[in-house]
Amino acid sequence: MNFKSDNESPAHAAVLQALLDANEGRATAYAEDDWSERLNQVFSERFETDCQVLPIATGTAANSISLAAVCPPWGGVLCHQAAHIQNDEGGAPEFYTDGAKLVTLPGQDGKLSADALAAAVDGAGAHGVHNVKPSVVSITQATECGTSYSIKEVQAIAEVCQSRQLPLQMDGARFANAVAWLGCTPADITWKSGVDLLSFGATKNGAVTAEAVVVFGHPDWLEALHRRRKRGGHLLSKMRYVSAQLLAMLDNDLWLVLAAEANARAASLAEGIHQSKHFSIHWPVQANEVFMQGEPAKLQWLKDHGASFHLWPGHSDLSRLVCSWSTTDEEVDAFLQLLQRAR
Ligand SMILES: Cc1ncc(COP(=O)(O)O)c(C=O)c1O
C-alpha cells in the first residue's frame, strides 16, 4: 500500500526493452543520435503541429531551463503558490534564470485564475525598475493539488498572457494524467490553448528517467534553450537512452494508457474514501492524486498499519495518496479495507 509518490513506481517493461534495443553499437553523442533526432517528428505528429523537442533528464531541469530561456534576471515568473517550481525545486528556477523572482499567487484547487493573474501583472509595474518585470507565466498540469486545468481555464490564462506579451509555460510532470483525465488531445490543452512551452513528464509515468522540453513555435527561443541545456549540464552525452524512453512512451500512446491506469486507481480510491466514515476528499480528484482529510491520529493509525503516504506540508490532517501506472486494484482494496477499520 505505497501511495507515497509516482516517483517510487518502477519503469514499464516497454521502456526497459527500448533501452535494451537502443543499447546496440555506437551512436552519435550529445543528442545527435537517431533516437533523439526522431523526437521532433514523433512529437509533432502526436501534438498535430511542428514542435521542437529537447530531451532532458529531470523535470526540475526542464522547467528551469525553459523559464531561463524566456525570463531575464530582472524578470518575474508568475506561478501558483503551491507550484513545484516554488516549493520543490531547491531554487533551481532562480539559479538557472540568474536570479529572476518567482511571484506566487493564490488560487482555488491549486490553479491560477485568469482574473487574479491579470490583476497581478497589471499591478506589478507601479514602482518601475524597483519592481521585477513580469516575464513568463507558469502553470502546472496536472496541478500539485491533483486537479487538472480545463481547456477553457488554460485559454483564459493564455489570453491574459498573450495580451501582455507573456509566454505561457506548462509544467507537465503529470501532463499525461491530465490529458487522460480530460479526454482531450494533447494539442487541445497546449498550443491550441495558447501554451508556448511544455515540460513533458515521463519519469513518473513509467520511464526510468526521461522528460522533454517541447517548444511550440518560437524558433527564436531555440538557441537559448539549447545553450542553457548545455551550460546547465543537461546535454547528456548518451542522450539516446533518454530519447529511446520517450519514443517508447509515445509508441501506441503508452503514455496515455499508463496514465489512465493510474487515474483509474485514484478514482477508485476516491470512491471508497467518499463512502468512509472518518475520511473525506479535500480537492477534486482529476488525475492520479487523492488528497484525503482525516484526524491526525487516524492518519497515523493507517501508517502504523501498513499504509505509506505523505502528509501535505504544514497540514497534519491532510494526506496525499498518489497512484501510478503500477498501483494495483488489490493495493487500493487493501487500503480501503484498512479505512473501514481505522480508529
Ligand atoms: C509538478 C512537478 N513538477 C516538476 C517535478 C520535477 O521533477 P524532477 O524530480 O524530475 O526534477 C515534479 C516532481 O516531483 C513535480 O511533481
Side-chain angles (χ1 to χ4, degrees):
M1 288 181 286
N2 183 341
F3 298 101
K4 271 159 61 195
S5 171
D6 31 13
N7 279 328
E8 296 200 3
S9 66
H12 190 268
V15 172
L16 296 177
Q17 186 58 51
L19 285 171
L20 284 177
D21 294 345
N23 197 36
E24 286 290 328
R26 289 179 163 254
T28 316
Y30 298 112
E32 290 181 13
D33 58 86
D34 292 347
W35 294 265
S36 303
E37 296 205 327
R38 279 179 54 212
L39 290 175
N40 286 349
Q41 187 209 330
V42 170
F43 273 76
S44 296
E45 278 166 16
R46 194 61 190 88
F47 279 82
E48 305 170 61
T49 190
D50 280 344
C51 50
Q52 297 286 321
V53 182
L54 285 80
I56 208 153
T58 72
T60 298
N63 286 335
S64 302
I65 290 169
S66 301
L67 295 171
V70 295
C71 185
W74 56 86
V77 179
L78 288 100
C79 62
H80 192 275
Q81 62 191 17
H84 198 269
I85 56 171
Q86 159 71 6
N87 298 307
D88 292 292
E89 297 193 352
E94 294 90 333
F95 172 73
Y96 275 91
T97 54
D98 299 318
K101 184 177 169 71
L102 268 62
V103 180
T104 59
L105 300 173
Q108 230 191 322
D109 298 339
K111 300 180 189 177
L112 281 186
S113 83
D115 288 346
L117 177 65
V121 176
D122 296 344
H127 297 158
V129 293
H130 300 276
N131 298 128
V132 292
K133 183 176 185 300
S135 299
V136 56
V137 175
S138 178
I139 56 176
T140 312
Q141 180 74 317
T143 72
E144 286 75 5
C145 299
T147 53
S148 290
Y149 285 92
S150 68
I151 292 175
K152 271 199 179 141
E153 287 168 332
V154 175
Q155 283 172 344
I157 288 170
E159 267 168 39
V160 173
C161 294
Q162 279 159 12
S163 59
R164 291 155 179 85
Q165 282 92 49
L166 296 175
L168 178 57
Q169 186 259 355
M170 180 177 272
D171 172 354
R174 297 190 180 88
F175 180 68
N177 303 96
V179 173
W181 188 81
L182 290 164
C184 65
T185 67
D188 284 338
I189 198 67
T190 54
W191 64 275
K192 283 191 181 172
S193 294
V195 172
D196 300 294
L197 285 159
L198 168 69
S199 295
F200 179 94
T203 307
K204 293 175 194 295
N205 194 26
V208 176
T209 176
E211 313 279 314
V213 174
V214 184
V215 194
F216 304 105
H218 305 289
D220 49 318
W221 294 348
L222 291 175
E223 180 175 8
L225 284 164
H226 281 280
R227 288 194 177 277
R228 284 188 180 276
R229 182 177 60 172
K230 173 64 193 174
R231 186 169 180 254
H234 274 275
L235 178 59
L236 304 193
S237 60
K238 294 194 181 178
M239 195 69 94
R240 68 168 134 159
Y241 296 101
V242 176
S243 301
Q245 295 175 62
L246 291 167
L247 292 173
M249 290 299 276
L250 263 76
D251 194 28
N252 288 321
D253 271 344
L254 180 64
W255 65 296
L256 290 178
V257 173
L258 297 182
E261 287 290 328
N263 292 358
R265 296 300 95 73
S268 303
L269 264 185
E271 178 68 34
I273 293 165
H274 268 308
Q275 288 164 15
S276 74
K277 213 163 55 185
H278 301 301
F279 302 94
S280 59
I281 298 290
H282 187 70
W283 286 302
V285 177
Q286 299 178 341
N288 63 324
E289 295 181 278
V290 178
F291 289 84
M292 183 182 80
Q293 200 138 20
E295 283 171 27
K298 291 204 167 51
L299 294 175
Q300 187 56 49
W301 187 91
L302 295 174
K303 286 190 174 187
D304 294 342
H305 289 78
S308 306
F309 53 82
H310 287 302
L311 293 179
W312 190 240
H315 295 265
S316 56
D317 62 347
L318 185 57
S319 60
R320 185 188 79 154
L321 308 168
V322 189
C323 295
S324 81
W325 69 273
S326 68
T327 305
T328 61
D329 282 327
E330 288 70 30
E331 262 179 300
V332 170
D333 289 348
F335 182 79
L336 293 178
Q337 280 166 23
L338 198 61
L339 285 194
Q340 306 302 331
R341 294 173 31 220
R343 61 196 79 247

